[in-house]
Amino acid sequence: MQSDSVQIPYDINAIRADFPILAEEHHPGVPLVYLDSGATSQKPLTVIKALNRYYREYNANVHRGIHKLSEEASAVYEGARIKLKKFINAASKREVIFTRGTTEGINLVAQTWGRSQLKAGDVILSTQMEHHANIVPWQLIAEQTGAAMRYVPILPDGTLDMEAYIVMLHDLPVKMVAVTYVSNVLGTVNPIVEMARMAHDAGALMLVDAAQASPHLKVDVQALDADFLAFSGHKMCGPTGSGVLYGKQALLNTMPPWMGGGDMISKVTFEGSSWNELPLKFEAGTPLIAEQIGLGYAVDYLNAVGMENIHAHEQAIISYALDRLVELPFITVYGPTVEKKGAVAAFSMQGVHAHDVAQVLDSQGIAVRAGHHCAQPLHGLLGVSATARASFYLYNTTQEVDALINGLYVVKKTFAV
Ligand code: C6P
């Protein structure tokens, strides 16, 4: 199949022009084919300019000064929070806690909700397809509280074993279900609405790792009925160091703070302290001001393109990529078929290590990720120590998929396999 058979529902050239790095050469004379947005996305000019404008025109600390600069910085920073609230359809801006990203958000819940609620014998139920960020924070708190970790198995097609999930919820004293919305390796899109309903029926809470969902899908926390949901700004056109933890207000109110310091307090004496209102109770110290402001601009950008359009475009790209990859008998692609998959294709090549695949692709201007993608237990189940991964975003084209396929033939020839 050739690339012109796919209809792109929006002006891909105009979108690509918004991302200056895409016009750069990767090596002299070799254009960049960026297929690593799962690791971090590229940034549109509006976000780059927003960072520049903050530092040039109104750089000041927030929530502190009464001078004009600080008031302006505070207003734009809090304005970003409102944009994020709308983006995920939270009921209140108090439910939007700014974090450095998904990892910090999950650690926050583990160390505050977990520390105050878990006890010996309780079960934290995660899955076999999680990123380390949704395993290790729970292992740490399990060790500290005596709670136990269990993992919902995956089926051979790379989807969750929902029957096993139901049995585990029924048989085990599960207090928290910690699940990824979209797997960063398999691309599996999990049925979060159904899983949250089942978790709640069993008396458990649900935390959703939305790191690979918020850039690509319309995330509606009220429709999902997630108790907590964490994501990273840098994967959705925003700056590194930006991100959000969403939590239901009633839960956040009962949780003790995590980090202590400035901004998170109401009153401090030598004898003790009391806490600020939400969300500041969980935002100790000077926050990542420019970064969260930049994330607000990223949300404006994604909204302007339209999350539905982005999703449709990516579905066309991943569908085309999967069709082309199966043409290559020396490639194994992991994860479900396109109906249950996000814009991620992790694969291995017979007889060639993933790092070598990535290196030869890189020499042709094609940037993919290679390794365990911070999902070592999953790779253990797949029976490989590493995979190569192409991950797509709103600016990728079918021509870039063709470049990947041609590049893989070059890899095959290079290693004579
Ligand atoms: N995955 C990848 O290449 P941070 O690092 O906090 O922004 O995001 C962590 C994280 C959590 N969950 C999932 C599903 C993820 O994919 C990631 C980040 C990147 O796959 C970097 S390891």
Side-chain angles (χ1 to χ4, degrees):
M1 187 170 39
Q2 278 309 303
S3 55
D4 56 4
S5 62
V6 175
Q7 292 298 312
I8 302 298
Y10 58 16
D11 187 347
I12 187 69
N13 291 328
I15 285 169
R16 287 180 67 81
D18 291 333
F19 292 81
I21 204 169
L22 298 180
E24 296 287 317
E25 289 181 341
H26 193 52
H27 304 294
V30 180
L32 170 66
V33 175
Y34 189 73
L35 304 182
D36 196 18
S37 297
T40 198
S41 75
Q42 296 302 344
K43 319 301 175 201
L45 201 52
T46 48
V47 170
I48 298 167
K49 278 186 176 163
L51 293 174
N52 194 287
R53 202 161 47 245
Y54 166 74
Y55 285 119
R56 289 176 72 110
E57 295 174 15
Y58 60 99
N59 172 51
N61 212 327
V62 290
H63 309 144
R64 285 162 171 81
I66 47 166
H67 53 81
K68 183 171 166 286
L69 282 185
S70 177
E71 278 170 6
E72 188 174 350
S74 304
V76 184
Y77 177 80
E78 288 304 323
R81 197 188 305 276
I82 308 267
K83 292 178 189 177
L84 268 300
K85 170 202 169 281
K86 289 186 184 145
F87 187 69
I88 58 170
N89 192 30
S92 159
K93 68 175 183 162
R94 294 185 186 282
E95 299 180 322
V96 177
I97 299 161
F98 279 139
T99 63
R100 284 189 300 121
T102 312
T103 304
E104 183 172 304
I106 298 173
N107 275 279
L108 192 159
V109 177
Q111 287 299 327
T112 58
W113 176 85
R115 183 157 43 90
S116 59
Q117 299 299 323
L118 290 171
K119 57 181 186 329
D122 289 343
V123 167
I124 303 152
L125 185 57
S126 189
T127 84
Q128 289 181 338
M129 68 171 77
E130 300 304 315
H131 185 280
H132 298 166
N134 208 17
I135 297 177
V136 183
W138 299 112
Q139 288 176 336
L140 289 170
I141 197 67
E143 224 168 82
Q144 291 159 14
T145 58
M149 296 258 339
R150 294 284 183 275
Y151 302 92
V152 182
I154 52 172
L155 296 169
D157 73 347
T159 59
L160 282 180
D161 183 341
M162 290 297 284
E163 282 176 23
Y165 176 58
I166 292 167
V167 172
M168 291 170 108
L169 279 178
H170 181 265
D171 289 355
L172 300 169
V174 178
K175 287 283 155 54
M176 172 63 80
V177 176
V179 62
T180 192
Y181 198 154
V182 179
S183 158
N184 68 323
V185 177
L186 305 169
T188 315
V189 182
N190 288 316
I192 297 297
V193 174
E194 196 184 347
M195 291 183 77
R197 183 175 41 75
M198 290 173 176
H200 292 150
D201 287 349
L205 298 182
M206 169 162 281
L207 176 139
V208 178
D209 172 349
Q212 299 290 347
S214 61
H216 309 287
L217 304 170
K218 175 77 197 122
V219 170
D220 180 332
V221 289
Q222 296 192 65
L224 294 172
D225 201 17
D227 299 292
F228 301 101
L229 183 137
F231 56 96
S232 306
H234 70 93
K235 293 188 199 292
M236 48 185 281
C237 297
T240 50
S242 65
V244 165
L245 170 69
Y246 159 83
K248 285 182 182 164
Q249 198 169 335
L251 281 168
L252 293 174
N253 273 328
T254 64
M255 286 156 48
W258 180 27
M259 287 193 272
D263 235 19
M264 53 76 72
I265 50 85
S266 158
K267 187 173 165 69
V268 178
T269 67
F270 286 122
E271 288 71 41
S273 307
S274 56
W275 317 131
N276 207 338
E277 294 183 333
L278 290 173
L280 298 183
K281 180 171 97 173
F282 294 109
E283 292 180 12
T286 298
L288 289 132
I289 303 166
E291 288 77 1
Q292 307 295 12
I293 287 174
L295 178 55
Y297 278 82
V299 162
D300 291 341
Y301 182 80
L302 294 174
N303 284 337
V305 180
M307 291 307 289
E308 287 81 6
N309 295 332
I310 291 171
H311 185 60
H313 172 74
E314 290 176 358
Q315 282 300 105
I317 296 288
I318 186 68
S319 170
Y320 179 69
L322 294 177
D323 284 348
R324 295 245 36 212
L325 283 165
V326 294
E327 290 171 11
L328 312 185
F330 49 91
I331 292 289
T332 304
V333 181
Y334 300 96
T337 49
V338 71
E339 308 77 48
K340 291 184 179 168
K341 198 171 170 82
V344 177
F347 56 89
S348 50
M349 184 186 277
Q350 242 167 44
V352 186
H353 193 277
H355 286 149
D356 294 329
V357 173
Q359 201 154 14
V360 176
L361 288 175
D362 180 74
S363 67
Q364 301 167 73
I366 304 163
V368 300
R369 190 173 168 192
H372 53 61
H373 316 301
C374 300
Q376 268 183 331
L378 173 63
H379 277 76
L381 289 175
L382 297 175
V384 286
S385 60
T387 54
R389 184 189 67 182
S391 51
F392 304 98
Y393 205 14
L394 75 166
Y395 36 65
N396 288 121
T397 65
T398 50
Q399 287 79 11
E400 290 179 309
V401 175
D402 293 338
L404 171 68
I405 300 298
N406 295 338
L408 289 171
Y409 278 112
V410 175
V411 178
K412 184 176 178 332
K413 204 167 156 209
T414 306
F415 291 95
V417 287

